[in-house]
Amino acid sequence: MAAPSSPQPRVMVLPFPAQGHVMPLMKLSHRLVDHGLEVDFVNTDFNHARVLKVMAAETGAAAGGIHMVSFPDGMGPDGYRTDIAMLGNGLPAAMLGPLEETIRSRKIKWVIADVSMSWAMELAATAGVRVALFSTFSTAVVALRLHVPKLIDDGIIDECGTVMRNEMIHLSPKMPPIEAAEIPWASLGGSPDRMRVFIKNVLKTNPAISLAAAVICNTFEEIESDALDLVPNALPVGPLEAPLASSSSSAAGQFWPEDATCLAWLDAQTRGSVIYVAFGSFTVLDAAHFEELADGLELTGRSFLWAVRPNFTDGVVGEGWLDAFKRRVEGKGLVVGWAPQQRVLAHPSVACFVSHCGWNSTMEALRHGVPFLCWPYFADQFCNQSYVCNVWGTGVKLLADKRGVVTKEEIKNKVAHLLSDEKIKARVAMWKHAACASIAEGGSSHVNLLKLVNLLREQ
């Protein structure tokens, strides 16, 4: 009689409750399941309901063998969850107890926690698990985060995050130079009190990065070798992608339903002709920027696909104006609510990407060889723009005028410049090749993924 097979190792995956954090950890979870691990994927109750709604709309899509669980986030039904500081501050008190109970009841031995949830390191002592951290940002941003105490010691920022000397920060020749005023926690703050909260949280949680069994990074060695040297136990496994075989895999982590009709529209467009425009899950444009962007896309004379999620504007732009714009550009431009971005960027009709430069978008476009027009909004996006424009040379910046507005003429001119620059095209092709090689069998990220799987099998 054959001996009963031993149960597969079980891993808990814990993202910060925001779309740009959930999606890359969902991609990693699919990779772990592919290698035979069991994954309990934790959402907050609020986001869990959103994800289930999208999955139900995807003709009964399943999570691909990933077990979806959820816990309260400490906020009421009408809580202001776009306030990252307020949301983040309440998570440890709301979640640590239920997480510990679940870990014990399910005999979980490993937790992979978002770096933004590094308070989960406490579970190593209370629940007896081993903890790896996952960076949803570039490794350069993690290195910059670890460098904050020195920035304070050098008088570049004070202990509240206020910029005292707005000089260029350049940690290494192959890392993105960034102005002190644009370090992620300064641009997140908005007010001195909020900046103080973010900087104090960075200083409080930085030690967790050194204590983690690994810091898993959605990047690859060829583009961030210097940054990886500055982060202890860094393990680059990117670019991470969701399985493309079916929509169900990506639906398991989406907060908004994807409009897949745009793929058929792209099929009808000329190769390398379409401007793709998307600004992620947090960017909010005011009426002036929104209308200037719309007019700029029309002014290019090129076909465009524009993702305008329901809360993309501050409410000043009316539905009537957007509906009139859609009718005016019909046949030339297509506006959707939320696009299947990975598939869009992989489509041969796409020529360039007008992007907020979130790290997920940056890695997806790099992987598929799509050049950027950069329009960062906040947080790490300025650092990512610096990578794109100053280090990799795969895109150009959209610059605001004296009023702080990116004009329609600027958009038209930069599109024309980007798509006629042969040096940018060559660099885009080079980095696409490097990205694909890293995740292919025997590539650096593929080897590191196998190292991670073996680590997670350790009891």
Side-chain angles (χ1 to χ4, degrees):
M1 182 176 176
S5 59
S6 58
Q8 294 291 354
R10 201 174 189 105
V11 179
M12 174 179 281
V13 174
L14 180 64
F16 184 83
Q19 179 73 95
H21 294 247
V22 169
M23 280 310 304
L25 276 160
M26 180 59 69
K27 292 174 182 178
L28 177 65
S29 296
H30 280 292
R31 299 283 73 77
L32 299 181
V33 168
D34 288 344
H35 286 277
L37 277 69
E38 294 280 329
V39 173
D40 290 318
F41 194 92
V42 179
N43 277 308
T44 60
D45 290 343
F46 181 83
N47 286 339
H48 185 66
R50 299 172 72 184
V51 168
L52 291 184
K53 184 176 180 180
V54 171
M55 290 172 65
E58 295 283 349
T59 61
I66 297 167
H67 310 287
M68 308 287 280
V69 296
S70 71
F71 303 110
D73 60 12
M75 303 185 92
D78 299 323
Y80 190 55
R81 290 173 172 84
T82 55
D83 187 326
I84 298 172
M86 186 183 299
L87 174 61
N89 284 343
L91 292 173
M95 298 186 75
L96 273 171
L99 287 171
E100 182 180 347
E101 183 180 335
T102 302
I103 288 167
R104 293 183 185 281
S105 65
R106 301 193 180 194
K107 297 181 172 57
I108 293 169
K109 301 299 182 184
W110 277 94
V111 172
I112 297 176
D114 195 320
V115 165
S116 299
M117 303 281 273
S118 55
W119 47 261
M121 288 294 296
E122 294 181 28
L123 294 167
T126 60
V129 289
R130 297 180 69 183
V131 181
L133 296 178
F134 179 91
S135 172
T136 57
F137 311 112
S138 70
T139 315
V141 167
V142 180
L144 189 61
R145 174 191 181 117
L146 294 172
H147 196 69
V148 165
K150 190 171 189 309
L151 296 180
I152 294 172
D153 290 343
D154 291 347
I156 296 173
I157 61 174
D158 65 16
E159 292 184 351
C160 297
T162 305
V163 177
M164 309 304 290
R165 298 202 319 269
N166 188 24
E167 62 184 53
M168 195 66 72
I169 302 166
H170 205 171
L171 299 185
S172 121
K174 294 181 182 179
M175 289 174 64
I178 186 166
E179 292 183 22
E182 292 181 343
I183 64 172
W185 307 278
S187 61
L188 259 179
S191 71
D193 287 343
R194 287 172 58 82
M195 284 173 58
R196 188 179 300 111
V197 169
F198 281 115
I199 292 296
K200 283 187 175 180
N201 183 62
V202 166
L203 295 173
K204 178 183 177 181
T205 58
N206 263 356
I209 294 174
S210 299
L211 294 173
V215 180
I216 308 161
C217 304
N218 183 16
T219 189
F220 56 106
E221 291 176 2
E222 290 77 2
I223 57 165
E224 288 210 278
S225 57
D226 283 22
L228 288 161
D229 288 341
L230 298 177
V231 176
N233 300 319
L235 197 63
V237 297
L240 290 167
E241 288 203 309
L244 287 172
S246 69
S247 62
S248 64
S249 298
S250 60
Q254 294 286 357
F255 292 177
W256 295 279
E258 295 177 335
D259 187 343
T261 60
C262 64
L263 298 174
W265 182 85
L266 284 172
D267 289 341
Q269 308 305 311
T270 305
R271 185 182 185 89
S273 65
V274 177
I275 304 167
Y276 172 54
V277 188
F279 286 82
S281 56
F282 267 104
T283 304
V284 177
L285 296 186
D286 61 22
H289 280 101
F290 185 87
E291 293 182 19
E292 206 75 23
L293 173 56
D295 291 341
L297 292 173
E298 188 176 7
L299 194 61
T300 66
R302 293 178 173 272
S303 300
F304 63 87
L305 170 62
W306 185 11
V308 181
R309 67 173 199 279
N311 57 346
F312 181 55
T313 65
D314 59 7
V316 176
V317 178
E319 287 293 325
W321 187 94
L322 185 57
D323 288 342
F325 174 76
K326 290 178 182 178
R327 290 193 296 270
R328 192 167 74 241
V329 301
E330 189 173 359
K332 195 71 174 176
L334 179 65
V335 179
V336 299
W338 190 250
Q341 180 162 290
Q342 185 176 305
R343 295 183 179 198
V344 168
L345 290 170
H347 200 285
S349 293
V350 172
C352 64
F353 185 14
V354 180
S355 171
H356 65 308
C357 296
W359 188 244
N360 294 321
S361 294
T362 300
M363 290 302 293
E364 288 171 351
L366 200 72
R367 157 71 178 82
H368 292 291
V370 181
F372 292 85
L373 276 88
C374 301
W375 191 338
Y377 178 63
F378 74 162
D380 64 316
Q381 296 160 14
F382 296 95
C383 186
N384 302 339
Q385 174 185 248
S386 186
Y387 253 146
V388 169
C389 300
N390 302 325
V391 180
W392 306 331
T394 55
V396 297
K397 299 178 183 179
L398 287 167
L399 301 176
D401 63 10
K402 293 179 180 178
R403 302 168 297 157
V405 175
V406 177
T407 66
K408 55 182 177 288
E409 292 83 10
E410 169 73 358
I411 294 165
K412 175 192 174 185
N413 293 338
K414 286 294 174 65
V415 167
H417 167 67
L418 180 67
L419 297 183
S420 64
D421 192 315
E422 295 301 322
K423 291 182 179 178
I424 290 179
K425 290 179 183 178
R427 287 190 292 265
V428 166
M430 177 189 72
W431 287 121
K432 175 183 178 180
H433 175 77
C436 293
S438 73
I439 56 178
E441 187 171 355
S444 59
S445 290
H446 181 260
V447 169
N448 286 332
L449 178 63
L450 297 180
K451 288 181 183 177
L452 175 62
V453 169
N454 289 334
L455 180 65
L456 297 174
R457 289 185 182 280
E458 293 178 6
Q459 302 295 305

